[in-house]
Amino acid sequence: MHDAAFAADPHQVYDRLRAHAPAGPVELAPGVDATLVVGHETALRVLQNSTLFARDARRWKALNEGRIGLDNPVLPMMAYRPNCLFTDGAVHLRLRKAVTDSLARLNITRIRRDVEPLADYLIDQFSERGRADLLNDYAKLLPLLLFNKLFGCPADIGDTLTSAMSAIFDGQDAQRANEELTACLMELIALKRRRSGDDVTSWLIQHPAGLTDEELKDQLVMLMGAGVEPERNLIGNALLLLLSPDTSGRDSGMLIEEAIDHVLWNQTPIANYATHYPVQDVDLGGVVAEAGTPVVISFAAANSDPALAEARRMHSKGAHLAWGAGPHACPAKDPAQVIAVTAIEKILNALPDLTLAVHEKELEWRPGPFHRALVALPVAFSPTPATRMASALQNRAVAAAEQPLPTAPVAAVRQEPARKKGFWSSFLDIFRV
């Protein structure tokens, strides 16, 4: 599941497995074996039975026995962290309560207000060129920058957070990137303990669950990981659908919400994940998953299960598993959809003659076992002036005064040498003008 052939056509693997059983053996990365669940009913059975199927990766037998190297590219996505994704029982309930209560303080109006200037800023970076890669210039960066805003990151921490998360998702020296991510988040937590703000980091710190610094750091990593990669793929895959002349996209009057729902069913942004570890050997429809071995849920394969043919045809929102199910189901599906809709609205309104710069068949899908993600989404359009950010600042002057973005006192204290600015610090500079 880690080569180019799988990326190009993952359903040939899902269908081959499904022909024999609702689950089957796969290789996630070199030397990392797992059981992939491809049947919808079996997926629900695993997702909803936390007694038999644990999420705690410290049960992973092959890792504990040293048969998987610490530099393996899937470890950042699979190794244990004390967060909602990798805990069970009372510990999971305590951590999830802190996360869901904090996310509940983000209303839809605020999310749209935070997304819109970021979209304006990113579009201004390429609108005068008449061409862009909407994945790497827009869909990838917008969620990263948004989380900097939601977490209350000052400039230097936000730049590091953005680059480290990008490296982890792209598999570029993941171990070093993970170390950088840990360091910058611990710095952010220390800053927010000294001076809280109107942001998710501060709300998690203030929560009655009393999270430790280590727990805080890992909830933030979980929120970034569960929010950034799926969001960029949701935006990118929906834009591809809307721009493609070979599908019933924008020219046919397809609504953005319809495109997003189509993607959740058919190009599921996180296609395979939710790793579980059976506490004992379990028969999954004729395939035995041994205790302590990874059982991965294929949301994409479950969504394409022939048993769901009618629900898929009707695009029934409650049937697909793109948001997961059971005690670990995604707690932020409504904000995630608002972010995607707002981002897509902004780019289509700003560049109304947007078209694919290559034929859809020439587009490449990024290799990797977990995601359904394009390598790039090249587009062309009529060049337009980069004036959206200035206009957005004028229109949001009152809101900006009420919700000031954090300054960067940490950089002053550390007195580091001047370095090239990243996207986040450049964005904050514009807001300080």
Side-chain angles (χ1 to χ4, degrees), residues 33 201 225 234 356:
D33 296 322
T201 309
L234 182 56
L356 289 178

Side-chain angles (χ1 to χ4, degrees), residues 161-205:
L161 195 62
T162 301
S163 62
M165 285 302 298
S166 295
I168 286 174
F169 284 129
D170 294 340
Q172 299 173 353
D173 198 352
Q175 191 170 4
R176 178 192 58 78
N178 193 46
E179 292 170 357
E180 290 183 356
L181 178 66
T182 296
C184 79
L185 286 176
M186 294 302 281
E187 185 176 357
L188 176 64
I189 290 164
L191 174 66
K192 293 299 177 179
R193 284 201 184 276
R194 295 194 304 270
R195 187 176 68 255
S196 64
D198 187 29
D199 53 68
V200 173
T201 309
S202 299
W203 300 336
L204 283 169
I205 289 172

Side-chain angles (χ1 to χ4, degrees), residues 130-413:
R131 55 183 173 77
D133 171 2
L134 286 192
L135 192 79
N136 293 296
D137 294 340
Y138 189 67
K140 173 182 175 180
L141 291 171
L142 192 147
L144 283 167
L145 297 179
L146 176 63
F147 272 87
N148 284 336
K149 176 67 171 70
L150 297 181
F151 287 1
C153 291
D156 57 343
I157 293 177
D159 285 346
T160 303
L161 195 62
T162 301
S163 62
M165 285 302 298
S166 295
I168 286 174
F169 284 129
D170 294 340
Q172 299 173 353
D173 198 352
Q175 191 170 4
R176 178 192 58 78
N178 193 46
E179 292 170 357
E180 290 183 356
L181 178 66
T182 296
C184 79
L185 286 176
M186 294 302 281
E187 185 176 357
L188 176 64
I189 290 164
L191 174 66
K192 293 299 177 179
R193 284 201 184 276
R194 295 194 304 270
R195 187 176 68 255
S196 64
D198 187 29
D199 53 68
V200 173
T201 309
S202 299
W203 300 336
L204 283 169
I205 289 172
Q206 296 160 6
H207 194 272
L211 304 186
T212 66
D213 284 0
E214 189 71 14
E215 288 174 331
L216 286 163
K217 180 258 295 180
D218 283 300
Q219 304 327 297
L220 294 175
V221 171
M222 183 271 298
L223 286 170
M224 286 284 285
V228 172
E229 174 76 10
E231 195 70 51
R232 77 160 162 183
N233 299 341
L234 182 56
I235 295 169
N237 295 354
L239 280 169
L240 171 59
L241 177 64
L242 288 165
L243 296 176
S244 174
D246 296 336
T247 61
S248 55
R250 185 171 47 162
D251 291 341
S252 68
M254 175 181 279
L255 299 176
I256 293 172
E257 290 84 355
E258 292 173 335
I260 287 173
D261 197 49
H262 187 279
V263 166
L264 292 171
W265 268 105
N266 301 293
Q267 297 287 3
T268 314
I270 293 298
N272 311 289
Y273 199 43
T275 309
H276 292 71
Y277 299 87
V279 299
Q280 62 190 49
D281 292 359
V282 180
D283 187 331
L284 297 174
V287 172
V288 175
E290 296 181 3
T293 62
V295 173
V296 175
I297 304 299
S298 179
F299 304 115
N303 288 349
S304 65
D305 191 324
L308 291 183
E310 180 63 19
R312 190 165 52 253
R313 187 181 67 81
M314 300 296 293
H315 285 277
S316 174
K317 290 182 173 61
H320 70 66
L321 290 181
W323 305 110
H328 291 271
C330 176
K333 65 178 183 178
D334 291 337
Q337 291 181 101
V338 170
I339 293 165
V341 168
T342 306
I344 295 169
E345 282 178 348
K346 292 293 288 188
I347 192 75
L348 295 181
N349 289 337
L351 307 172
D353 63 346
L354 200 63
T355 59
L356 289 178
V358 300
H359 193 280
E360 183 178 356
K361 292 181 180 178
E362 297 179 47
L363 296 172
E364 294 181 41
W365 295 92
R366 179 157 53 95
F370 304 121
H371 51 248
R372 184 58 174 163
L374 290 163
V375 172
L377 185 58
V379 294
F381 49 87
S382 299
T384 60
T387 57
R388 295 165 192 81
M389 197 66 208
S391 175
L393 283 171
Q394 291 175 355
N395 295 338
R396 293 170 175 81
V398 174
E402 294 173 351
Q403 300 286 341
L405 285 167
T407 56
V410 176
V413 171

